[in-house]
Every structure is written in structure tokens, then in C-alpha cells.
Amino acid sequence: MIKFTVLSTKGGVGKTTLAANLGALMADMGLRVLLVDADVQPALSKYYRIKREAPFGLTKVITTGYVTEDCISQTVIDGLDVIRSDDPDGSLQTWLLHRIDRGERLGNALNSPAVSEDYYDCVLIDTQGTVGPLQDTAALAATQIISPIKPEILSAREFKTGTMPSAYETMHALLWELVPSLAGHYAGSETAQDTGRDGAEA
């Protein structure tokens, strides 16, 4: 199953519009798509009319670590479901911050039976244009990351100096925290690339 996360540290670049339209396009092609609204501003949750509204949403998914049927709402578009954002106060950011498994939380939840390939072909995760543990777990849940960039210098600069370094630092820090031995090996490999055989800088 392909899991896309639409990610950018800059707001207003069209992440929600891209996620919503890409999801609808794939559903129109016959794929079964699950949208996940991981933005505290629930624009994706309201993008399409809801045919069957689930009593719960992203908060239950993150805090329990599972996706269950009572977290998945059905839109009026056949084959397009959504896990709604239901955290207007942004409390999930704080809740995740104090968990050692914060980076893996959403990814593990999306491995639940309710999101298996028996039900969905693709997952699309929308995120807020900022940096935080909710964005981190959304990024690490993906098999592919999409980062929209407007054809303007400010958006390109933010992608280069904000989105890319943030994603790298997040993955490196979580790797170090969760798998110290592997992270140490990774750091050693980077050092080896920067030095010659005799230990001098290349």
C-alpha cells in the first residue's frame, strides 16, 4: 500500500488542495483511498460532504495507536474515506511530545486491520505548515512524501532551508533515540565519508 504525506513547513502552498484533489482523482480511477487530516485546521475534513460521519477521528487514532471503523468517515465520493481532524486546540502536539514512540505513532496505527489492503489501496496524509511532533509522525508514516512548492523564490527558499532540513533532522534524531546502535553506525558512516583512510579530512 502506498502512503503519501503532503508535507511543507510553509503554509499556504496548497497542501490540502493537493491532498483533496489527488485523493478524489485516485478514487475516480477506482482506487480505494483513505484521507488523514493531520492539520489542526480541519480543512481537509470539510473539503467533501460527509455521507457517514464517524464519532471519532485523529485524536483517538493517535492516542490509542489504532485505526478502528469508528474513526473513519465516508465522503459522498465512492472509494474516498477520511479520518477527520478533531484537535482544534492542538493538544496532540503536546501529547506526542512526551512519548518515546511519537515518531512511529501514526505509522503503526495505519498498520491496523481497518486500513489493510483489504480495504484501501492508498493513504493520503495532510499536514499543517509548521514543525512539530504531529508533522514528524505524519512524515515517518509515509512511503512517499509530496512537498508542493510554488514557483516563487520564497517558497523555494523555505523548501531548501526549512522543509528539507527539518525532515532530515527529525529522522536522524528519532533514529538516534529509538535505535542507538544503528544511529551510531550511521553517524560513523557519515564521518568515514568525510575523512580519508589515514584519518585526515578528505
Side-chain angles (χ1 to χ4, degrees), residues 140-152:
L140 293 171
T143 58
Q144 302 285 334
I145 289 178
I146 302 172
S147 187
I149 310 171
K150 287 186 176 181
E152 59 183 26

Side-chain angles (χ1 to χ4, degrees), residues 5-16 18 39 125-132 135 138-139 145-150 154-160 162-164 166-167:
T5 292
V6 185
L7 183 72
S8 176
T9 54
K10 188 178 190 312
V13 295
K15 293 186 299 297
T16 299
L18 176 60
D39 189 341
I125 307 168
D126 186 29
T127 60
Q128 186 179 10
T130 186
V131 176
Q135 287 70 36
I145 289 178
I146 302 172
S147 187
I149 310 171
K150 287 186 176 181
L154 291 179
S155 293
R157 186 176 296 160
E158 176 64 24
F159 176 76
K160 180 180 179 181
T163 302
M164 287 183 64
S166 174

Side-chain angles (χ1 to χ4, degrees), residues 23 26-27 30-34 75-81 119-120:
M26 290 191 292
L31 298 176
R32 299 162 300 174
V33 181
L34 177 64
T75 75
V76 294
I77 299 175
D78 290 339
L80 186 65
D81 296 341
Y119 299 101
Y120 296 103

Side-chain angles (χ1 to χ4, degrees), residues 177-188:
E177 182 176 302
L178 297 173
V179 194
S181 59
L182 182 59
H185 174 74
Y186 176 70

